[in-house]
């Protein structure tokens, strides 16, 4: 039968995605026709001389965008979970067109003027606070991408954007090339002492691939890490450490040196920020985030550092004493730290992941997760039917007192055609449009081992944490009560607050009472023994002081680098000298670190998160979200203290109402305060990580 647009399942928005019908050849015609419709709409709206109103401008824009997002979302989802050649081809064929469309949308000045006209019109004052917020954000995003600059400055702004994206790409390439270029060759088997068999086999295979005898170790994590953790050969550890720490620096090939790139990136970010009217790039980065100012973030990091540092000092003393007494390492060097820490961990807290896994069969874990959700929010999670992309996936509906709240697909097991990792994505969002209301639908995707020989799959504790984490994102998406698309569920939530609901859920996987209810040994049915649980907790908190100050060092360096360091001139080709960068890092380390690396260490040259990723002046958000989620969880601990269970329905209802339900419709800090009754505090996180002063 001939396919037409009328029968194209990707263009059917009446219900759930039609996974049974959609085929790769539907992608291009559907996506092109949706983009075309959207383009024509924008053209018509921007040419219309009449004053834009919410109903005449925002509503049609939102609905056209929703259709593209929903159809393209199905394609992206299938590309991720069913990466067959024909799906990959269909996806990649349209990806450039879709990316270009959105890039143009963000640069469309006529569109910006329409948003601005509505924002500045008398209608604005009559809109709900939620709608006002949506308009504020639209105007803000255009402004931050240079839309309000005088025409004379626009070409320079555009050139900076392009230069920055090229410099970021080059930074990654240099790092990759430098990482791949180094190898350590081992010829005598005795030199492999301590290295586990799987790492040896991989090193042997790598040497064979190069038609050489012996073993080849590289700077890629799966090869590097076992050497640093297990190799008894101290000289080998030192050589590997030095090679790793000086990647893409002036000590290697000049063409791979990221030092000059760092200088240019910082200078260009500074210039861009000035053009937009800000003092520093850190200020620009924080505009759409939950944190208000660089000073506030710095204050937060300093408070955490002051509280964590004594524990880090104690961790290091413990490690030094152990290394001297048990390993004969009297002068603990940086290349001994992972090695000694691993030996100390084994001596104090060892348990086998295999042993733990026996207690987490999949059906029990899912029951446990659903039970936690039911207890907290009073909702029912029921199996339901819908077309799916693979028979090994499930579909559920969530109901509250018999009313449909939303649906989710669950795709737990690894498959050859599935992208690695775990994620939550939206198949449909809650919103009320001209066609009525839609309920939200989520995808929860993981890559856990599947059932073997008719026995249920068993999960590691890490897998269980991952499942709860993604379920937390899912609940944020599904339990929203907001019906404006731009801020419903996870839409419009500040970037540094979006991990709050997900990390929050992880906390339950460390609670004894919760674990008792969701563990059953695959053979005996016994719940997790208390002795094993105690070891898991001890291992979780092992050296948490040192780990915390390390994260704080990176966060503080990133923030101050983008707030304080100035280029050497105002010329177009200005740069920041690498000495200044290293000098600042040194200052930060003196303040927060307990381990100071050697002077030749070039950490910034491989800090891809901030020079080649989206984390510039945003690295702090990891700790920020951990603090928020731990502090939110503490409310359940407090409520449970008197009642015997922290699965407290009253606190759950409040968490739903103040945090999950409101999505991005108000500032995350306001939501947090509405839930907790006060500003966030760092103490719960410290306590959860075992950093408690007796
Ligand atoms: Zn997450």
């Amino acid at each position: 039968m001939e396919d037409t647009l009328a029968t194209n399942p990707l263009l059917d928005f009446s219900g759930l995605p039609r996974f049974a019908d959609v085929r790769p050849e539907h992608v291009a015609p559907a996506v092109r026709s949706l983009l075309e419709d959207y383009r024509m709409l924008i053209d018509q709206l921007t040419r219309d001389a009449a004053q834009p109103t919410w109903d005449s401008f925002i509503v049609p824009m939102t609905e056209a965008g929703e259709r593209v997002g929903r159809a393209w979302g199905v394609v992206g989802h299938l590309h991720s979970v069913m990466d067959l050649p024909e799906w990959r081809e269909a996806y990649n064929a349209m990806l450039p067109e879709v990316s270009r469309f959105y890039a143009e949308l963000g640069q469309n000045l006529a569109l910006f003027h329409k948003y601005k006209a509505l924002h500045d019109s008398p209608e604005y004052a009559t809109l709900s606070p939620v709608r006002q917020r949506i308009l504020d954000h639209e105007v803000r995003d255009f402004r931050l991408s240079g839309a309000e600059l005088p025409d004379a400055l626009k070409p320079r702004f555009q050139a900076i954007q392009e230069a920055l994206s090229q410099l970021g790409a080059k930074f990654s390439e240099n790092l990759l090339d430098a990482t791949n270029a180094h190898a350590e060759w081992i010829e005598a088997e005795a030199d492999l002492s301590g290295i586990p068999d799987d790492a040896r086999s991989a090193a042997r295979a790598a040497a064979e691939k190069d038609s050489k005898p012996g073993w080849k170790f590289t700077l890629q994590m799966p090869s590097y890490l076992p050497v640093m953790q297990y190799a008894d050969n101290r000289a080998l550890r030192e050589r590997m450490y030095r090679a790793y720490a000086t990647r893409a620096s002036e000590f290697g090939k000049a063409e791979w040196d990221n030092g000059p790139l760092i200088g240019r990136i910082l200078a260009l970010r500074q210039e861009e920020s000035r053009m937009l009217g800000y003092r520093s790039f850190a200020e620009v980065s924080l505009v759409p985030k939950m944190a208000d100012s660089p000073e506030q973030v710095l204050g937060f990091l300093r408070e955490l550092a002051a509280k964590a540092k004594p524990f880090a000092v104690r961790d290091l003393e413990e490690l030094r004493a152990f290394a001297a007494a048990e390993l004969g390492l009297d002068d603990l060097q940086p290349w001994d730290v992972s090695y000694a820490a691993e030996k100390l961990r084994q001596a104090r807290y060892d348990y086998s992941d295999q042993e733990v896994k026996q207690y987490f069969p999949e059906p029990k874990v899912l029951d446990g997760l659903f039970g936690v959700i039911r207890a907290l929010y009073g909702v029912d999670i029921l199996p339901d039917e819908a077309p799916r992309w693979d028979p090994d996936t499930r579909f559920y509906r969530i109901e509250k007192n018999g009313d449909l709240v939303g649906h989710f697909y669950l795709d737990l097991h690894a498959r050859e055609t599935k992208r690695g990792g775990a994620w939550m994505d939206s198949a449909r969002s809650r919103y009320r449009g001209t066609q009525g209301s839609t309920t939200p639908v989520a995808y929860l995707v993981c890559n856990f081992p599947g059932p073997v020989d008719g026995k249920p799959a068993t999960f590691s504790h890490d897998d269980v944490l991952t499942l709860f984490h993604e379920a937390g994102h899912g609940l944020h998406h599904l339990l929203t009560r907001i019906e404006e698309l731009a801020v419903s569920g996870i839409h419009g939530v500040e970037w540094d607050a979006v991990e709050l609901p997900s990390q929050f859920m992880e906390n339950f996987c460390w609670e004894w009472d919760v674990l008792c209810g969701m563990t059953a040994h695959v053979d005996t049915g016994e719940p997790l023994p208390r002795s094993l649980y105690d070891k898991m907790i001890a291992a979780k908190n092992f050296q948490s002081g040192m780990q915390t100050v390390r994260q704080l060092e990176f966060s503080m360096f990133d923030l101050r680098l983008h707030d304080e360091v100035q280029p050497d001139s105002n010329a177009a080709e200005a740069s920041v000298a690498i000495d200044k960068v290293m000098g600042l890092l040194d200052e930060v380390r003196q303040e927060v670190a307990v381990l100071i690396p050697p002077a030749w260490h070039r950490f910034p040259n491989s800090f891809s998160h901030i020079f080649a990723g989206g984390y510039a002046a945003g690295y702090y958000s990891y700790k920020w979200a951990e603090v928020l989620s731990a502090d939110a969880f503490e409310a359940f601990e407090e409520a449970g203290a008197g009642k015997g269970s922290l699965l407290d329905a009253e606190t759950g209802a409040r968490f739903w109402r103040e945090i999950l339900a409101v999505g991005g419709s108000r500032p995350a800090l306001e939501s947090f305060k509405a839930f907790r009754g006060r500003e966030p505090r760092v103490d719960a996180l410290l306590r959860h990580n075992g950093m408690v002063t007796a």
Side-chain angles (χ1 to χ4, degrees):
M1 197 177 74
E2 188 73 6
D3 276 314
T4 63
L5 289 179
T7 59
N8 191 317
L10 282 172
L11 295 174
D12 177 1
F13 299 102
S14 62
L16 293 161
R18 286 167 50 189
F19 288 112
D21 307 317
V22 58
R23 292 190 307 278
E25 58 266 31
H26 292 128
V27 174
V31 174
R32 285 212 176 100
S33 110
L34 288 168
L35 290 182
E36 188 50 34
D37 289 351
Y38 202 174
R39 246 191 213 105
M40 271 162 53
L41 173 75
I42 292 170
D43 208 45
Q44 180 204 324
L45 290 173
T46 49
R47 268 187 309 175
D48 184 354
Q51 165 68 29
T53 66
W54 185 272
D55 289 334
S56 70
F57 178 65
I58 300 291
V59 169
M61 279 294 290
T62 306
E63 296 196 341
E66 198 271 340
R67 283 192 294 273
V68 176
R70 218 200 294 183
W72 182 243
V74 169
V75 179
H77 175 69
L78 288 173
H79 172 247
S80 297
V81 296
M82 210 164 65
D83 191 9
L84 303 166
E86 57 272 26
W87 272 107
R88 181 182 298 195
E89 203 183 310
Y91 175 79
N92 285 333
M94 287 312 293
L95 182 61
E97 272 178 62
V98 176
S99 310
R100 202 177 328 120
F101 178 83
Y102 281 107
E104 283 167 13
L105 202 65
Q107 296 296 323
N108 187 328
L109 288 181
L111 208 48
F112 169 61
H113 293 309
K114 288 288 168 191
Y115 281 109
K116 190 102 168 71
L118 177 54
H119 184 269
D120 297 345
S121 75
E123 188 188 349
Y124 180 86
T126 69
L127 296 172
S128 68
V130 172
R131 289 185 171 182
Q132 290 182 349
R133 185 171 162 83
I134 292 170
L135 275 178
D136 293 346
H137 286 179
E138 288 289 353
V139 171
R140 175 199 72 193
D141 293 344
F142 271 107
R143 189 168 52 77
L144 290 179
S145 53
E148 278 188 330
L149 290 176
D151 285 344
L153 292 180
K154 277 186 181 142
R156 175 63 189 158
F157 191 84
Q158 199 54 41
I160 292 177
Q161 303 308 310
E162 277 159 30
L164 279 172
S165 89
Q166 281 164 10
L167 286 163
K170 184 78 175 109
F171 187 100
S172 299
E173 286 165 23
N174 285 349
L175 185 60
L176 189 65
D177 289 346
T179 302
N180 290 338
H182 188 89
E184 287 291 333
W185 295 91
I186 302 293
E187 283 176 10
E189 190 156 7
D191 286 337
L192 301 177
S193 164
I195 299 175
D197 286 342
D198 55 342
R200 285 185 193 209
S201 309
R204 180 75 205 97
E208 269 170 12
K209 210 171 152 215
D210 288 0
S211 312
K212 291 206 180 150
W215 294 264
K216 179 188 181 184
F217 290 94
T218 70
L219 299 182
Q220 280 140 8
M221 260 312 133
S223 185
Y224 176 75
L225 204 61
V227 171
M228 298 314 291
Q229 282 187 317
Y230 300 107
D232 297 325
N233 185 337
R234 197 182 193 190
L236 173 64
R237 293 202 308 267
E238 181 178 352
R239 286 200 306 277
M240 293 277 277
Y241 176 87
R242 186 182 281 267
Y244 192 81
T246 54
R247 285 174 304 155
S249 74
E250 74 269 31
F251 302 117
K253 249 190 185 178
E255 62 189 280
W256 294 337
D257 184 3
N258 274 341
L261 270 54
I262 291 172
R264 284 292 292 143
I265 289 171
L266 291 172
L268 287 170
R269 284 179 180 161
Q270 176 66 9
E271 187 184 345
E272 170 195 336
S273 312
R274 286 270 163 82
M275 289 175 88
L276 291 172
Y278 293 91
R279 185 181 53 77
S280 71
F281 185 79
E283 284 190 345
V284 177
S285 161
L286 295 183
V287 171
K289 296 192 173 87
M290 175 178 172
D292 285 331
S293 65
E295 294 69 34
Q296 188 195 28
V297 176
L298 210 55
F300 159 75
L301 296 172
R302 289 210 156 109
E303 184 192 358
L304 204 48
K307 289 183 169 163
K309 198 167 175 181
F311 294 95
V313 170
R314 208 174 64 184
D315 288 346
L316 184 59
E317 277 166 8
E318 184 189 25
L319 192 63
R320 282 217 171 100
F322 174 83
E326 306 292 328
L327 307 174
L329 296 168
D330 290 327
D331 57 332
L332 193 77
Q333 294 296 323
W335 43 90
D336 301 325
V337 170
S338 301
Y339 176 77
E342 179 56 25
K343 291 273 186 289
L344 176 59
R345 192 190 64 79
Q346 284 173 14
R348 298 271 160 91
Y349 313 110
D350 207 20
Y351 65 89
S352 129
D353 284 334
Q354 283 308 317
E355 190 189 350
V356 172
K357 267 184 100 162
Q358 303 304 307
Y359 291 95
F360 289 103
E362 179 182 310
K364 191 81 184 165
V365 171
L366 278 185
D367 276 354
L369 170 65
F370 294 173
V372 167
I373 297 170
R374 194 178 309 119
L376 291 178
Y377 308 121
V379 294
D380 296 307
I381 300 178
L382 309 161
D384 203 348
E385 284 303 323
R388 288 160 295 146
W389 53 93
D390 190 286
D392 184 42
T393 56
R394 280 161 276 183
F395 186 66
Y396 295 91
R397 61 194 280 121
I398 303 184
E399 285 181 2
K400 173 84 178 176
N401 304 327
D403 292 331
L404 177 66
V405 174
H407 287 102
F408 65 96
Y409 300 89
L410 192 61
D411 184 352
L412 288 182
H413 306 131
R415 283 191 304 276
E416 218 166 83
T417 52
K418 189 159 145 187
R419 169 158 73 85
W423 65 90
M424 189 288 293
D425 207 349
S426 155
R428 199 169 79 184
S429 302
R430 176 175 293 281
Y431 80 103
R432 185 195 296 274
T434 47
Q435 310 296 315
S437 291
T438 61
T439 50
V441 183
Y443 306 112
L444 294 187
V445 185
C446 301
N447 267 283
F448 302 151
V452 183
D453 301 333
K455 271 184 148 185
T458 54
F459 294 161
S460 71
H461 188 252
D462 264 352
D463 292 341
V464 177
L465 286 167
T466 301
L467 176 66
F468 273 64
H469 180 103
E470 298 308 332
H473 285 306
L475 291 166
H476 201 185
H477 179 66
L478 294 167
L479 297 188
T480 192
R481 291 198 179 114
I482 299 293
E483 298 204 300
E484 297 287 355
L485 186 69
V487 290
S488 99
I490 55 173
H491 296 289
V493 175
E494 292 103 309
W495 188 80
D496 46 352
V498 91
E499 295 295 330
L500 161 58
S502 52
Q503 294 190 354
F504 164 77
M505 283 298 286
E506 289 184 36
N507 287 288
F508 291 102
C509 307
W510 294 107
E511 283 302 315
W512 173 241
D513 293 337
V514 175
L515 281 175
C516 281
M518 68 173 188
T519 50
H521 193 282
V522 275
D523 297 326
T524 66
E526 291 291 315
L528 185 75
R530 180 77 203 199
S531 57
L532 190 50
Y533 168 77
D534 289 339
K535 281 191 200 169
M536 288 163 66
I537 291 286
K540 166 185 173 243
N541 294 337
F542 176 59
Q543 296 208 318
S544 57
M546 264 167 65
Q547 285 168 25
T548 302
V549 295
R550 208 171 123 82
Q551 287 297 311
L552 292 172
E553 173 189 327
F554 300 163
S555 306
M556 206 182 275
F557 170 62
D558 163 45
L559 193 88
R560 290 187 56 190
L561 191 63
H562 288 102
D563 197 44
E564 295 170 21
V565 174
Q566 297 295 328
D568 40 28
S569 77
N570 283 325
E573 291 301 307
S575 187
V576 172
I578 195 74
D579 291 356
K580 265 195 209 168
V581 175
M582 291 308 298
L584 177 73
L585 180 55
D586 213 45
E587 226 181 285
V588 168
R589 282 174 176 159
Q590 296 303 332
E591 182 179 347
V592 300
V594 292
L595 267 172
I596 309 282
W600 43 258
H601 199 293
R602 288 291 175 270
F603 168 71
N605 298 49
S606 62
F607 200 3
S608 301
H609 272 85
I610 68 165
F611 295 117
Y615 281 82
Y619 196 84
Y620 75 88
S621 61
Y622 287 108
K623 276 285 161 230
W624 184 269
E626 271 182 63
V627 161
L628 295 176
S629 59
D631 197 5
F633 187 74
E634 193 179 56
F636 289 84
E637 295 174 314
E638 288 163 3
K643 297 177 186 166
S645 167
L646 51 67
L647 297 173
D648 180 57
E650 211 174 295
T651 314
R654 196 168 75 243
F655 191 74
W656 184 354
R657 186 177 70 238
E658 303 296 354
I659 306 249
L660 300 176
V662 298
S665 70
R666 67 178 179 196
L669 184 62
E670 244 174 66
S671 300
F672 185 91
K673 287 199 286 195
F675 169 67
R676 203 68 178 95
R678 57 164 172 76
E679 302 261 344
R681 288 187 199 144
V682 302
D683 307 79
L685 178 66
L686 291 166
R687 183 168 52 77
H688 290 159
N689 287 340
M691 288 184 265
V692 186
T693 327

